[in-house]
Amino acid sequence: MIAPDDIEEAACRIMANAAIDIPADYRRSIQRMADGESGDLSCFVLRTMLENWETATADRRPMCADTGLPRFYVKLGDHARFAGGFTGFERALRSATARATHDIPLRPNRVHPLWRTDHNNNVGINAPEIEWSFEPDVDWIEITTVHKGGLFGTDYRMLFPGDGIDGIKRFFLDTLVAFGKRGLACQPAIVGVGLGGSKDTCMVLGKQAACLRVVGDRNPDPEIAALEEELQELGNSIGMGAMGFVGKSMVADCHIEVGYTHTGGMPMSMHTFCLSSRRATVRIRADSSTEYRTDPKWFTPYMRRETVEWQTPHPVSRQSG
């Protein structure tokens, strides 16, 4: 039985990891971009960010003054057992958020939308956000925290089936150009694209695609994977680089997630994970032992299932996954 205190302590630790230590997959991507960037100002931004990340890790301080809006993604194994129930689980994550805001420290960004009041701890009505998913045949729980900016870098459009792939490309490029010209995103970024679902599902899929997959990961559908690569190439060919300066470093990677949608539409959302790319994950096993990493491994085959009944694709033990 996993105790609430163990959940809270693990959540505090991943919040510090996310705020301070940039994931290795993303750092490698930015280093490659810096090495190949021809725009002077874009190259300067990229190399400055790399130096900033090194300093943040050495000093154990958040790498950006705006530490974003902390949120959690929780994956529960069918056989996982934890004390306190789901409300106790939520309380542990809210308490971890308040503690981390004070101890790391994180900037207290959360305010009431109308009265602008806050509790100075990033906790409030519907804050932090917690999303839940499930995994068969295992007895662990996984918690991923993402510290994503909460202002801009997101857009949505209802396309139609007749718009096809060309319509997807057009919206993708229109949005990136607008973000770059108006300073509405912090480039280069991992760009997440949600296709299909209802409007709210489409937005959720796009944000998860941006925040919960590592650089270089490809959708298991080969045609979607090819579109991811094509959109990344297109995004880096518009003449914009880091922070909108002249260059070719706009998109660190592009990830697409899909959901079955209404026959008459093809909703599309776009989300840019900022130049910080702050994410961290912990797996807590049944014996309360922990494993920390930076790859959320959120989109499992079970998450992308199409059928009513789920058949495990290959035998797994309850301790694996």
Side-chain angles (χ1 to χ4, degrees):
M1 183 80 70
I2 301 171
D5 286 349
D6 294 331
I7 294 172
E8 182 173 334
E9 288 301 322
C12 282
R13 178 168 169 181
I14 60 173
M15 293 186 79
N17 292 349
I20 296 170
D21 299 311
I22 302 303
D25 63 282
Y26 191 72
R27 290 174 68 108
R28 288 192 296 267
S29 174
I30 299 304
Q31 182 66 65
R32 287 194 298 270
M33 284 184 151
D35 293 341
E37 180 57 76
S38 55
D40 291 342
L41 288 176
S42 291
C43 186
F44 172 78
V45 170
L46 295 174
R47 296 203 179 281
T48 300
M49 292 308 299
L50 289 165
E51 293 174 4
N52 185 66
W53 295 342
E54 292 176 1
T55 301
T57 296
D59 292 352
R60 307 312 298 160
R61 291 184 294 172
M63 58 75 53
C64 183
D66 182 354
T67 52
L69 298 180
R71 62 189 300 125
F72 295 99
Y73 297 89
V74 179
K75 189 179 294 292
L76 300 169
D78 267 349
H79 306 296
R81 297 293 179 266
F82 47 91
F86 284 96
T87 57
F89 203 129
E90 285 192 328
R91 186 200 177 282
L93 296 183
R94 290 169 75 88
S95 179
T97 301
R99 285 177 53 192
T101 299
H102 178 271
D103 294 346
I104 295 174
L106 305 178
R107 192 169 78 179
N109 281 334
R110 299 279 192 173
V111 299
H112 191 286
L114 295 176
W115 325 131
R116 315 310 288 179
T117 52
D118 72 89
H119 301 297
N120 205 39
N121 61 5
N122 283 308
V123 176
I125 301 171
N126 290 314
E129 296 87 349
I130 304 172
E131 296 185 34
W132 306 85
S133 71
F134 311 98
E135 193 68 14
D137 305 319
V138 296
D139 60 0
W140 41 253
I141 62 177
E142 288 188 343
I143 308 168
T144 296
T145 188
V146 169
H147 299 180
K148 188 179 187 303
L151 296 175
F152 306 109
T154 297
D155 206 351
Y156 169 88
R157 184 176 294 176
M158 175 56 78
L159 303 176
F160 296 96
D163 291 322
I165 300 298
D166 286 343
I168 292 172
K169 295 176 184 177
R170 186 178 303 113
F171 178 45
F172 184 83
L173 291 176
D174 286 349
T175 302
L176 286 184
V177 170
F179 285 175
K181 291 175 66 176
R182 299 173 61 197
L184 299 182
C186 188
Q187 305 100 1
I190 298 174
V191 180
V193 175
L195 290 175
S198 57
K199 182 175 182 178
D200 55 336
T201 300
C202 182
M203 294 294 286
V204 168
L205 286 172
K207 180 170 284 188
Q208 291 180 354
C211 300
L212 299 177
R213 287 173 53 188
V214 300
V215 174
D217 180 42
R218 286 288 161 259
N219 192 289
D221 184 314
E223 294 189 34
I224 295 177
L227 183 58
E228 291 175 333
E229 293 176 346
E230 184 176 1
L231 291 180
Q232 180 182 359
E233 184 177 351
L234 283 173
N236 288 326
S237 68
I238 61 177
M240 289 184 181
M243 297 299 182
F245 292 120
V246 173
K248 53 183 180 180
S249 304
M250 193 74 166
V251 182
D253 205 352
C254 178
H255 300 148
I256 300 173
E257 292 297 330
V258 303
Y260 274 37
T261 192
H262 191 281
T263 58
M266 187 173 65
M268 175 175 174
S269 70
M270 277 185 59
H271 304 256
T272 57
F273 203 6
C274 71
L275 189 52
S276 305
S277 196
R278 294 168 293 215
R279 53 174 151 78
T281 298
V282 61
R283 174 179 293 184
I284 309 176
R285 299 183 178 87
D287 61 2
S288 292
S289 63
T290 53
E291 170 197 336
Y292 294 88
R293 62 177 195 269
T294 56
D295 181 353
K297 299 180 182 178
W298 179 258
F299 289 101
T300 62
Y302 181 76
M303 287 283 288
R304 292 185 174 118
R305 70 196 184 281
E306 296 189 47
T307 57
V308 174
E309 300 296 333
W310 170 250
Q311 298 295 325
T312 303
H314 52 78
V316 295
S317 71
R318 287 180 56 178
Q319 293 292 342
S320 67

